[in-house]
């Protein structure tokens, strides 16, 4: 079961429906106790950083989310849910995020309309293997609605060009996030959610989360 | 990169699509969910549903349409018509709408814009403005101004449309859906001067609407009107053009669009 965290914010139905559409058993979950049973967790979010952060805390789901991340449960943050993974945001200074990804959420550059409310193309970060974006077409068009975005860090796996390079996705182990809305990005977005569903399926108890990277066999030891 | 969105608009009356039927019966009693899926397949960037049902008895009907659409169409969609309270907005957003359009209720009580934005975020508040040309009262600019009308264009408000759009953005609108009443249904193209003025002065994205009869009109709206999105109904409903053809035409004219 993939738990779509329901902490009373906006439209969560579309994330749930889109995950179901790609064949996963996604359910809205508002009871923190049920998150522990989930094989995957999705943290959606719309609106603004502070109210989302406070609502997540007040719902009791914040610690459940942190526990899931600590256990290595595949985790996907979407839009504000993605921003919440960082340390904080210029949108609400003083309101801490979950801090599981280093970095801050910054306002989009001046000189472009706020919010960015449009489809844009993903620019992959070279040399960064991405489970999230595996198999997506090139160019991959996805839908953005946001006025803030996490700064580009070593976790960033793709950016989009909007007055400069803007973080579009980030990954650290099985902790994934998208600034765009995969649940609203047509077939490209469904493919990305399918990648997450597969990550969840491959992480079920007893199955390794990712192909174990084998160290090359030391040479000359077979004699 | 700035890309322009192409948005088919579906007028829904008691759960059925009605726009376009005065010309051809093609989509008389068409199912909005089916049509939404078709436009999605054609490459539409977003959809707008406008609930024009006169009676509030059918409010639940629209919620059902939204819910069924959200199950199979994975692009953003806005639902407008009859949204008068935070609770109305909540019902539609919970059912799966991404944004709600407010028009008359926003003019009557502008705090509603702020209330919905505070509760759900400005990104889901689309203020729909129906504007009609009138002589400029103080003779500034090119001697023309536009007045906001409400109640489906039946009620004059005396409010200047450009000022209203600016104010809406200030108090919580995430986007403006601007319809020229002078052009709506004429197929003569957008009111470019109106579109341009609001796009230049209003910091949030602008959807141009009203008057599209051919594909060059979409280009004019995006280029001369500087609209962030172009909305049309009959050219799509009547099967004259597909969304894909519209986007190919925009791209050929140098407007960046997501390819269909």
């Amino acid at each position: 079961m993939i738990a779509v965290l329901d902490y009373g914010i906006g439209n969560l139905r579309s994330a749930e429906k889109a995950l179901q559409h790609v064949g996963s058993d996604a359910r809205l979950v508002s009871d923190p106790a049920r998150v522990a049973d989930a094989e995957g967790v999705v943290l959606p979010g719309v609106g603004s950083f502070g109210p989302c952060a406070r609502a997540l805390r007040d719902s009791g789901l914040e610690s459940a989310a942190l526990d899931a991340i600590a256990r290595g449960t595949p985790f996907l943050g979407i839009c504000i849910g993605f921003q919440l993974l960082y340390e904080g945001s210029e949108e609400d200074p003083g309101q801490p995020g979950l801090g599981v990804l280093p970095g801050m959420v910054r306002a989009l550059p001046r000189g472009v309309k706020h919010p960015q409310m449009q489809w844009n193309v993903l620019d992959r970060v070279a040399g960064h293997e991405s489970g999230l974006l595996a198999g997506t077409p090139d160019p991959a068009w996805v839908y953005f609605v946001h006025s803030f975005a996490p700064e580009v860090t070593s976790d960033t796996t793709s950016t989009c060009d909007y007055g400069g390079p803007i973080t579009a996705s980030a990954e650290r182990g099985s902790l994934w996030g998208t600034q765009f809305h995969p649940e609203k990005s047509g077939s490209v977005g469904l493919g990305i959610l399918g990648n997450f569903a597969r990550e969840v399926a491959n992480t079920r108890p007893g199955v390794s989360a990712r192909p174990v990277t084998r160290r090359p066999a030391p040479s000359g030891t077979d004699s | 990169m700035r890309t322009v969105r192409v948005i088919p608009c579906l007028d829904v009356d008691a759960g059925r699509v009605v726009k376009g039927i005065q010309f051809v019966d093609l989509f008389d009693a068409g199912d909005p969910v089916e049509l939404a899926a078709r436009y999605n397949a054609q490459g539409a960037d977003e959809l707008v549903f406008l609930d024009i049902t006169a009676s509030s008895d059918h409010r639940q009907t629209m919620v059902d349409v939204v819910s069924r659409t959200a199950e199979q169409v994975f692009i953003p969609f806005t639902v407008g018509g009859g949204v008068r309270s935070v609770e109305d907005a909540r019902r539609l957003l919970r059912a799966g709408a991404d944004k709600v359009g407010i028009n008359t209720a926003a003019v009557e009580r502008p705090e509603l814009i702020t209330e919905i934005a505070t509760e759900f975020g400005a990104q889901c508040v689309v203020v729909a403005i129906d504007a009609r040309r009138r002589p400029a009262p103080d003779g500034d600019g090119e001697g023309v101004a536009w007045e906001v009308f409400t109640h489906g264009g039946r009620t004059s408000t005396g409010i200047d449309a450009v000022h209203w759009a600016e104010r809406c953005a200030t108090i919580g609108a995430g986007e403006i859906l601007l319809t020229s009443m002078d052009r709506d249904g004429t197929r003569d193209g957008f009111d470019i001067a109106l579109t341009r003025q609001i796009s230049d002065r209003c910091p949030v994205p602008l959807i141009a609407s009203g008057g599209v009869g051919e594909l060059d009109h979409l280009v004019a709206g995006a280029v001369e009107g500087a609209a962030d999105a172009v909305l049309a109904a009959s050219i799509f409903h009547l099967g004259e053009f597909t969304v894909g053809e519209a986007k190919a035409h925009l791209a050929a004219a140098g407007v960046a669009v997501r390819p269909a």
Side-chain angles (χ1 to χ4, degrees):
Chain A
M1 185 263 286
I2 294 178
V4 178
L5 301 187
D6 180 0
Y7 55 110
I9 294 287
N11 170 8
L12 306 167
R13 193 67 64 189
S14 42
E16 181 197 25
K17 298 286 180 206
L19 282 159
Q20 289 169 350
H21 193 80
V22 299
S24 46
D25 175 21
R27 290 178 222 166
L28 295 183
V29 170
S30 54
D31 175 5
R34 290 194 58 212
V35 179
D37 304 330
E39 289 132 357
V41 177
V42 174
L43 177 60
V46 294
S48 47
F49 188 90
C52 280
R54 286 187 284 275
L56 185 65
R57 184 158 307 163
D58 294 346
S59 68
L61 287 165
E62 184 190 59
S63 55
L66 285 167
D67 290 346
I69 292 166
R71 280 193 304 273
T73 304
F75 195 100
L76 174 65
I78 298 174
C79 196
I80 303 279
F82 172 45
Q83 296 178 3
L84 289 174
L85 302 175
Y86 289 82
E87 295 166 46
S89 172
E90 284 181 359
E91 188 173 20
D92 266 280
Q95 172 68 55
L98 301 186
V100 289
L101 291 177
M104 289 294 291
V105 177
R106 310 270 184 214
L108 293 177
R110 290 166 188 275
V112 288
K113 277 199 185 184
H114 291 199
Q116 168 174 220
M117 188 183 278
Q118 63 169 14
W119 295 75
N120 207 335
V121 173
L122 296 180
D123 296 318
R124 303 282 199 91
V125 173
H128 206 313
E129 204 171 303
S130 170
L132 178 74
L133 302 173
T136 49
D138 187 20
W141 287 84
V142 293
Y143 186 79
F144 290 85
V145 184
H146 64 126
S147 298
F148 296 80
E151 59 192 327
V152 175
T153 70
S154 58
D155 297 314
T156 304
T157 51
S158 69
T159 59
C160 70
D161 173 25
Y162 195 68
I166 305 298
T167 295
S169 67
E171 293 162 59
R172 172 176 282 222
S174 52
L175 177 57
W176 296 359
T178 63
Q179 181 56 66
F180 56 90
H181 287 270
E183 79 282 14
K184 287 290 159 183
S185 296
S187 56
V188 171
L190 293 173
I192 288 168
L193 293 175
N195 286 342
F196 181 69
R198 244 183 320 282
E199 176 82 359
V200 171
N202 292 339
T203 314
R204 290 217 166 112
V207 184
S208 137
R210 292 169 165 276
V212 176
T213 317
R214 290 174 191 278
R215 273 177 296 180
S219 57
T221 55
D222 55 349
S223 55
Chain B
M1 177 173 49
R2 171 180 171 269
T3 63
V4 169
R5 291 167 282 148
V6 176
I7 307 179
C9 179
L10 288 75
D11 285 1
V12 179
D13 184 4
R16 308 297 280 180
V17 176
V18 293
K19 192 144 184 174
I21 62 165
Q22 62 267 47
F23 304 109
V24 178
D25 268 349
L26 257 187
F27 292 107
D28 186 10
D31 176 27
V33 182
E34 256 172 52
L35 211 48
R38 182 181 317 170
Y39 292 140
N40 175 38
Q42 288 181 5
D45 294 311
E46 282 188 42
L47 299 167
V48 168
F49 291 102
L50 210 49
D51 187 1
I52 59 166
T53 312
S55 149
S56 59
D57 303 349
H58 286 287
R59 186 139 309 160
Q60 187 56 37
T61 309
M62 197 62 204
V63 174
D64 294 340
V65 166
V66 169
S67 170
R68 285 194 293 130
T69 303
E71 275 167 26
Q72 46 181 297
V73 176
F74 300 103
I75 57 172
F77 62 96
T78 300
V79 182
V83 177
R84 309 195 66 83
S85 67
V86 170
E87 277 318 303
D88 290 341
R90 187 191 312 278
R91 203 173 302 124
L92 294 168
L93 295 171
R94 289 293 298 193
D98 298 284
K99 315 178 201 179
V100 292
I102 47 177
N103 187 335
T104 302
V107 174
E108 289 176 348
R109 208 172 64 80
E111 307 83 62
L112 179 62
I113 297 171
T114 313
E115 289 167 10
I116 298 177
T118 304
E119 188 78 14
F120 308 109
Q123 85 293 330
C124 74
V125 183
V126 180
V127 176
I129 300 175
D130 294 336
R132 174 175 281 170
R133 274 179 187 249
R134 64 171 181 197
D138 51 2
D140 72 340
E142 287 122 39
V144 64
W146 294 268
E147 180 182 354
V148 175
F149 279 70
T150 57
H151 298 91
R154 294 189 302 276
T155 309
S156 131
T157 67
I159 298 170
D160 179 81
V162 179
H163 291 158
W164 173 236
E166 286 180 295
R167 178 163 178 227
C168 289
T170 310
I171 62 176
E175 193 171 31
I176 302 291
L177 166 50
L178 173 67
T179 301
S180 160
M181 292 173 54
D182 304 292
R183 295 303 180 90
D184 202 28
T186 64
R187 306 173 69 83
D188 289 339
F190 296 119
D191 184 330
I192 295 297
L194 167 66
T195 307
R196 182 74 198 211
Q197 276 218 20
I198 291 190
S199 183
D200 284 349
R201 293 188 37 191
C202 190
V204 299
L206 173 67
I207 305 171
S209 157
V212 174
E214 51 188 85
L215 298 184
D216 277 339
H217 294 155
L218 302 176
V219 176
V223 176
E224 295 158 47
D228 300 283
V230 286
L231 179 144
S234 55
I235 62 164
F236 298 133
H237 297 338
L238 299 177
E240 293 167 16
F241 301 103
T242 64
V243 177
E245 286 166 344
K247 294 180 102 173
H249 194 83
L250 282 159
V255 177
V257 292
R258 175 179 72 120

